[in-house]
Amino acid sequence: MAAPAEKAVTYYTLEEIQKHNSSKSTWLIIHYKVYDLTKFLEEHPGGEEVLREQAGGDATENFEDVGHSTDAREMSQSYIIGELHPETLITTLNSNSSWWTNWLIPAISALVVAMMYRMYIAED
Ligand code: HEM
């Protein structure tokens, strides 16, 4: 018997998506989903230009700022070709937290130690 129908999801890395930043191939990320809007450019009521500007990148904020209608959101579903690769997200999250843990906290600790040392020296 066939395995239960599981909708296969294609995952794309940021690197891959970034290549599709021209009018020949226009991909966008909205809410971690990847959209191929190449054929939609000319049909977009909001114009081609705004989509081109975001091509190959994350358009979530701009998409939400416009306050797209329910119709627009339904329409967008048919252009989904996959999702942002989970590893891409993990890398992004890790690189954010590592900035704090790897740089800021040791830097502050070093500063505190240096100040304590100065105070200790001054007491002598
Ligand atoms: C799959 C993606 C998208 C679809 C299907 C879509 C569809 C639509 C539709 C149907 C409208 C007409 C108004 C409405 O129904 O809300 C619209 C307007 C508009 N869209 Fe999009 N859109 C998409 C992505 C984007 C993105 C990424 C941006 C910005 C970077 C954008 C910017 C705009 C703007 C500026 C308008 C005009 C709003 C106005 O005239 O008041 N759209 N879009």
Side-chain angles (χ1 to χ4, degrees), residues 50-110:
V50 287
L51 299 181
R52 284 229 185 96
E53 275 169 18
Q54 312 285 325
D58 192 331
T60 309
E61 234 181 275
N62 292 289
F63 181 83
E64 290 305 336
D65 279 352
V66 172
H68 280 92
S69 64
T70 319
D71 270 3
R73 281 161 201 278
E74 266 169 28
M75 199 190 246
S76 73
Q77 300 297 310
S78 56
Y79 297 99
I80 296 174
I81 54 168
E83 293 182 19
L84 200 53
H85 198 287
E87 252 175 42
T88 309
L89 296 176
I90 292 162
T91 320
T92 320
L93 291 175
N94 277 350
S95 63
N96 278 343
S97 70
S98 71
W99 186 80
W100 283 88
T101 50
N102 294 349
W103 287 100
L104 200 61
I105 294 169
I108 290 170
S109 313

Side-chain angles (χ1 to χ4, degrees), residues 33-49:
K33 293 212 162 61
V34 183
Y35 294 76
D36 182 352
L37 298 179
T38 316
K39 296 205 176 77
F40 180 65
L41 286 178
E42 286 176 22
E43 292 170 35
H44 184 223
E48 286 179 54
E49 199 52 41

Side-chain angles (χ1 to χ4, degrees), residues 108-121:
I108 290 170
S109 313
L111 207 67
V112 169
V113 170
M115 278 165 70
M116 281 167 71
Y117 182 69
R118 280 189 148 223
M119 281 160 76
Y120 173 77
I121 293 284

Side-chain angles (χ1 to χ4, degrees), residues 1-16:
M1 218 173 93
E6 216 175 89
K7 240 178 141 189
V9 179
T10 315
Y11 290 108
Y12 296 99
T13 60
L14 213 52
E15 231 180 9
E16 174 71 22

